[in-house]
Amino acid sequence: MKILILNGPNLNLLGTRQPEVYGHTTLSEIEAMCQAKAAELGVAIDFRQSNHEGDLVDWIQEAKGQLDAIIINAAAYTHTSVAILDALLSVEIPCLELHLSDISQREDFRKVSFVEKASFAQIMGHGPDGYPMAIEATVQHLAG
């Protein structure tokens, strides 16, 4: 089983960006947490980040027929990107939406999620711990 974990814009700044909202854990530390959880569960992950919408769309499209699931923290693109939604719907791969903060409790514009429309579940508001939770939930979903 192989899971693609995608991270959107500005998540490369984790650890220093608005720590009161996103905490002090860096993206590389989150990746290490994910690698440990994946090893524990006996699955492989491909962990990526881009500030560019087109990269995310390309990676989603490339996953078709190659990967079993996608976990995506689309960050700001969650609220704006029909292109990412269309890509997720096009590949017909189970998708879990992930956020460090609880977007339902934030600014009104953040409460809208295009990604949700293509996802079997959402995990949000658990900070970095949401990533291993998302891997576990995805594995359980695939084991069905």
Side-chain angles (χ1 to χ4, degrees):
M1 187 179 300
K2 189 164 185 182
I3 301 169
L4 177 61
I5 302 175
L6 295 179
N7 296 279
N10 301 309
L11 292 175
N12 57 309
L13 299 176
L14 288 176
T16 59
R17 174 187 174 221
Q18 293 177 276
E20 68 282 1
V21 175
Y22 301 108
H24 295 281
T25 307
T26 66
L27 191 61
S28 61
E29 291 169 331
I30 291 172
E31 181 176 6
M33 294 168 59
C34 290
Q35 293 291 355
K37 178 54 86 172
E40 175 189 322
L41 296 174
V43 301
I45 62 168
D46 183 354
F47 192 95
R48 301 179 185 193
Q49 187 276 331
S50 180
N51 291 322
H52 305 282
E53 183 179 31
D55 288 345
L56 297 168
V57 169
D58 287 344
W59 293 337
I60 292 166
Q61 290 177 358
E62 290 167 5
K64 186 171 185 157
Q66 304 299 312
L67 299 163
D68 298 295
I70 298 171
I71 296 170
I72 185 167
N73 181 346
Y77 290 137
T78 299
H79 322 291
T80 63
S81 182
V82 174
I84 289 173
L85 169 62
D86 286 348
L88 290 169
L89 292 171
S90 296
V91 296
E92 300 174 340
I93 298 172
C95 175
L96 184 142
E97 178 182 6
L98 175 63
H99 298 285
L100 293 159
S101 65
D102 184 347
I103 63 172
S104 71
Q105 301 300 311
R106 298 204 44 206
E107 304 93 335
D108 285 342
F109 70 90
R110 292 189 198 274
K111 294 177 183 176
V112 173
S113 170
F114 287 99
V115 173
E116 178 182 15
K117 296 168 185 6
S119 301
F120 68 85
Q122 289 179 307
I123 294 179
M124 56 185 168
H126 296 280
D129 292 335
Y131 280 79
M133 291 170 63
I135 294 169
E136 193 162 340
T138 300
V139 169
Q140 288 175 358
H141 179 78
L142 292 172

